[in-house]
Amino acid sequence: MNRDYQRIENAISYLVENASHQPSLKDVASSADLSPHHFQRIFTEWAGVSPKTFLRYLTLQSSKKALTNEATLFDAANEASLSGTGRLHDHFVTIEGMRPEEYKNSGRPLTIRYSVHESPFGDVMVASTSRGICKISFLDGNRKPEDLLIDQFPNAGIKEHAVPEHDEALQLFNNGATDVQSVRLHVKGTPFQITVWDTLLRIPEGDLRSCSDVAKEIKNPKAVRAVGSAVGKNPVAFFIPCHRIVPVNGKFGNYRWGIERKVAMIGWEAVRTSKEFRTGE
């Protein structure tokens, strides 16, 4: 994993655990095993703001404000700009569900190509079929990328091979990436899951929603638990932004790729949609 991100992750874990005490720069730097000066530099390069400013976006008050935004997911699309940090994922990302015969061992088997890259949130595997990106997963521990794909596509032919679509998709990690072409996702999921994932695309950067909010958006308000299950099975990290789903109390909740990474994403996006970041204040 990118060593700088590992240090950032350790620092974010410390910030979350000690936010109520407003830890000093020296204390946070020590948690990342860095000098205050070195830590301030790499954190600011990563986040675009100082650790102290970033901490403001991790408070419960800030989370509740993002969660209780009265605009609906769909209203937000009318207000957002297509450039810079105002973009919505659904301007760039479209979802197509796989047909069952595409991933069963019948006829010609599905071929999946994957490659591993660095991202602002650690090493990430990107995998695709001939019709689009089928999986994006952050890599932690000793599990090999092939194993992650075999779990989901046991009958597929899997090859390590970078294709241009992988690099193009990863441009969405870049701040203000305005030249990204539409990214097509070719995912394995039930119709209900795909409906939920498509709805997640409509949550603007910097905003948060609960499973209850999503259930209401898909006109199935009683399906809160089923929505939560679909969120947890999201196969495409970050691009289908399940990290923007939090409990109704405004706390950060769980995340299949690690709570520290989820908090990093929420804070990173909140900073980039803030006035002070856009204006350089």
Side-chain angles (χ1 to χ4, degrees):
M1 178 183 291
N2 180 290
R3 184 162 176 77
D4 278 354
Y5 175 72
Q6 183 64 66
R7 288 165 165 167
I8 296 295
E9 186 178 83
N10 292 341
I12 286 174
S13 178
Y14 182 87
L15 284 171
V16 171
E17 291 174 4
N18 297 278
S20 61
H21 305 298
Q22 292 293 299
S24 68
L25 176 64
K26 181 179 179 180
D27 290 336
V28 182
S30 179
S31 74
D33 197 27
L34 293 170
S35 69
H37 176 76
H38 188 194
F39 173 71
Q40 176 96 359
R41 180 180 63 79
I42 68 167
F43 193 99
T44 303
E45 287 176 356
W46 175 80
V49 294
S50 69
K52 182 178 180 180
T53 300
F54 191 85
L55 180 59
R56 291 211 316 266
Y57 294 97
L58 301 184
T59 63
L60 187 61
Q61 181 180 4
S62 178
S63 297
K64 285 184 175 180
K65 182 178 179 181
L67 181 62
T68 57
N69 189 326
E70 293 183 359
T72 69
L73 310 187
F74 304 104
D75 289 341
N78 296 324
E79 301 174 3
S81 166
L82 289 179
S83 62
T85 55
R87 69 178 189 269
L88 299 181
H89 269 63
D90 70 334
H91 287 309
F92 295 93
V93 182
T94 58
I95 298 179
E96 177 184 352
M98 289 184 185
R99 299 186 299 272
E101 61 268 24
E102 288 182 293
Y103 52 83
K104 288 183 178 178
N105 191 15
S106 59
R108 197 163 100 183
L110 187 68
T111 297
I112 296 176
R113 294 176 174 83
Y114 77 89
S115 54
V116 176
H117 306 260
E118 287 188 357
S119 82
F121 309 106
D123 291 342
V124 64
M125 178 197 68
V126 184
S128 62
T129 70
S130 61
R131 296 170 62 182
I133 303 295
C134 64
K135 191 172 184 68
I136 295 180
S137 183
F138 292 102
L139 300 176
D140 292 317
N142 297 320
R143 293 207 69 192
K144 297 179 180 179
E146 298 97 319
D147 294 337
L148 299 175
L149 293 167
I150 289 171
D151 285 348
Q152 193 169 1
F153 304 100
N155 300 314
I158 297 171
K159 301 177 181 178
E160 183 173 8
H161 180 69
V163 295
E165 289 79 7
H166 296 176
D167 289 325
E168 291 170 7
L170 290 171
Q171 291 303 308
L172 275 177
F173 281 120
N174 293 344
N175 176 46
T178 59
D179 57 347
V180 179
Q181 299 300 311
S182 179
V183 176
R184 180 180 292 275
L185 305 181
H186 187 213
V187 296
K188 176 182 176 181
T190 67
F192 180 85
Q193 288 171 336
I194 291 171
T195 297
V196 170
W197 299 338
D198 186 63
T199 303
L200 299 185
L201 295 178
R202 302 168 188 257
I203 304 174
E205 289 179 309
D207 278 4
L208 304 174
R209 295 291 185 273
S210 68
C211 288
S212 178
D213 293 330
V214 175
K216 291 174 184 176
E217 289 289 348
I218 64 174
K219 312 301 181 187
N220 197 347
K222 295 183 179 180
V224 176
R225 183 167 299 194
V227 167
S229 178
V231 169
K233 293 179 180 178
N234 168 27
V236 184
F238 187 78
F239 290 72
I240 297 176
C242 61
H243 57 279
R244 297 177 191 161
I245 299 298
V246 299
V248 293
N249 60 12
K251 295 183 179 180
F252 293 111
N254 297 321
Y255 189 58
R256 67 182 295 184
W257 290 286
I259 183 60
E260 291 82 10
R261 185 172 279 116
K262 179 178 183 176
V263 173
M265 290 177 177
I266 289 172
W268 193 78
E269 291 186 335
V271 166
R272 278 158 175 70
T273 55
S274 67
K275 178 182 176 183
E276 63 191 326
F277 183 82
R278 294 196 303 269
T279 61
E281 294 177 358

